[in-house]
Every structure is written in C-alpha cells, then in structure tokens.
C-alpha cells in the first residue's frame, strides 16, 4: 500500500525545537540538548507521518520520545504534528536510524524501542535492507536495560515470522509477548496510519513485544 501525498507544512510553523538531522545530533550523546526535561527516552524507528510519536508523547508526558525517519518530508511532517499539539517531550530526526543506534546511543540508555510497519523490502535481493536485521538487534539488546522493551508490529506475515525467528538468536530479548488489539474509538485512534489503513481493509496486524531480561 503506497503512501498518499503530504500537504506542505504551513510557512509560519516553527520546527526549530522539534526537528533536526542525524548530523546535528549531539556528540557525545546528550539528550539534554534535545529535551527540556531529563526523563526516560523511547525511540521510534521509522516514524512516518508521526501519529504514534505524537500520541505516545501526549499520553506519557513523563517520557521523552525521539522519532527517526529516513524520508525528510515525513520527518518534517511528523515534527509539525508535534508542534501543533504543543508537545515538548518529542523530537523528530531526519536520517538513518541504524547509524544513530550504531554510533551514538549509549548502552542501557533507552526505555523502549518502537518499530512499526517497517518497509518489508519485498524482493529477496533487497531483504538485507530491512531495519530488523541482526546488526540492529545487537544494538537494541545493547541499548535496552533490563525491563525495557522492543515493540514490533507489521502487516506482512513473512516479515513478522522471519523476525521472530531471528530474535531467537537473542535470548536476552524475551518474547514474543502478546499484544491485544483494541477497538478504535475514533478515526485517529490507531497506533500509526498504516495500522488504520490495514485494519480498515480487514487485514491482520501482527504485533509483538520483547522484554530485555
């Protein structure tokens, strides 16, 4: 399912405190340069239009949320969504999330990692481009302290099953733990836009969580 064209952000919207790039992230890593308050940090890999990060930041003001999106127009769109909701605990980053994890995020420093509806890269020769690969999971295991969780949802059964098989090589990530599907109370009461589209089409969503032991 392709993505619909995005509307341009209003010219008067100020993204200064809610949008940045990988190249401008603080080195060495310092979340205080990104957020007003020192709170547990959750990272979403592939934020798309920003429905999850905006909703999660609003629901959990005692946590900070960093969204990383490789497509710039979606990163800025998600940042604008955060600004419009007046959220100070969420920031969008344009760039390669795997690079951020590999080179910047310290060990045992995250409260959660979220990966929702990642690009399945359908062709066999492109599977190596998938976000959920062994190298990334090594970084997930490293950056999650005991009790923190990896959240993974997809609408592609093959991707889901192959990822569960790969995760068997990481026994420190205990799971898959069950995630119940709840009815939506309104049009935007979904985790992401992809979940909304998938469920409206009557197709299954494969959900799982893994807890760092």
């Amino acid at each position: 399912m392709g993505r619909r064209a995005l509307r341009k952000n209003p010219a008067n919207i100020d993204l200064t405190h809610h949008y940045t790039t990988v190249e401008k992230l603080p080195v060495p890593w310092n979340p205080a340069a990104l957020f007003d308050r020192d709170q547990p940090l959750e990272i979403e890999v592939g934020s798309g239009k920003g429905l999850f990060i905006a909703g999660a930041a609003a629901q959990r003001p005692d946590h900070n949320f960093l969204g990383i999106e490789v497509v710039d127009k979606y990163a800025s769109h998600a940042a604008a969504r955060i600004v419009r909701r007046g959220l100070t605990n969420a920031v969008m980053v344009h760039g390669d999330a795997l690079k951020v994890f590999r080179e910047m995020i310290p060990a045992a420093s995250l409260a959660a990692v979220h990966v929702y509806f990642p690009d399945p890269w359908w062709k066999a020769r492109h599977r190596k481009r998938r976000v959920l690969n062994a190298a990334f999971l090594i970084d997930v295991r490293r950056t999650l302290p005991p009790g923190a969780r990896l959240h993974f949802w997809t609408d592609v059964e093959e991707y889901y099953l192959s990822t569960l098989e790969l995760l068997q090589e990481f026994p420190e990530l205990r799971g898959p733990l069950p995630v119940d599907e709840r009815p939506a109370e309104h049009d935007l009461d979904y985790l992401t836009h992809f979940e909304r589209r998938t469920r409206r089409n009557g197709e299954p969503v494969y959900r799982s969580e893994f807890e760092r032991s």
Side-chain angles (χ1 to χ4, degrees):
M1 294 181 288
R3 289 173 165 179
R4 295 180 179 177
L6 291 179
R7 295 179 180 177
K8 290 185 178 180
N9 288 333
N12 63 346
I13 195 164
D14 183 6
L15 303 182
T16 303
H17 301 293
H18 297 84
Y19 169 88
T20 189
T21 65
V22 168
E23 292 75 20
K24 294 179 180 179
L25 288 173
V27 178
W29 183 248
N30 179 22
L34 299 170
F35 300 98
D36 294 338
R37 298 185 299 278
D38 181 15
Q39 303 182 136
L41 176 62
E42 305 188 26
I43 293 184
E44 182 189 20
V45 175
S47 296
K49 297 177 181 178
L51 187 60
F52 166 75
I53 192 169
Q59 292 169 10
R60 298 199 291 280
D62 57 340
H63 278 212
N64 290 328
F65 291 84
L66 190 72
I68 309 176
E69 171 57 50
V70 72
V71 180
D72 188 27
K73 65 180 180 180
Y74 285 98
S76 60
H77 181 87
R81 183 187 295 273
I82 293 167
V83 171
R84 287 195 298 270
R85 297 190 63 171
L87 301 168
T88 61
N89 62 326
V91 172
M92 281 301 308
V93 178
H94 166 231
D96 182 0
L98 303 193
K99 175 182 174 66
V100 174
F101 271 82
R102 183 174 62 249
E103 300 180 6
M104 300 181 184
I105 306 299
S109 63
L110 301 180
V113 176
H114 303 266
V115 185
Y116 300 120
F117 302 91
D119 192 328
W121 292 104
W122 294 102
K123 295 181 179 180
R125 67 177 182 272
H126 293 158
R127 296 285 168 84
K128 62 184 178 181
R129 300 180 185 178
R130 287 180 169 179
V131 166
L132 284 157
N133 56 45
F136 175 61
L137 290 174
I138 289 172
D139 283 323
V140 169
R141 178 178 61 187
R142 178 181 59 81
T143 56
L144 291 180
R149 291 195 173 193
L150 166 66
H151 303 259
F152 167 50
W153 294 20
T154 180
D155 57 343
V156 181
E157 184 178 20
E158 182 276 328
Y159 197 171
Y160 181 74
L161 294 176
S162 64
T163 300
L164 295 193
E165 183 177 355
L166 177 59
L167 277 157
Q168 292 179 8
E169 301 176 16
F170 298 85
E172 301 91 342
L173 297 174
R174 184 176 62 87
L177 306 176
V179 181
D180 295 331
E181 179 178 300
R182 62 176 181 79
E185 297 181 3
H186 53 79
D187 187 52
L188 289 179
D189 190 27
Y190 296 91
L191 198 72
T192 74
H193 287 85
F194 270 95
E195 187 203 5
R196 179 176 64 176
R197 194 184 315 177
T198 300
R199 288 176 59 180
R200 281 181 168 182
N201 288 338
E203 299 169 354
V205 174
Y206 304 96
R207 304 170 173 83
S208 63
E209 294 181 10
F210 292 81
E211 183 177 80
R212 181 68 161 92
S213 62

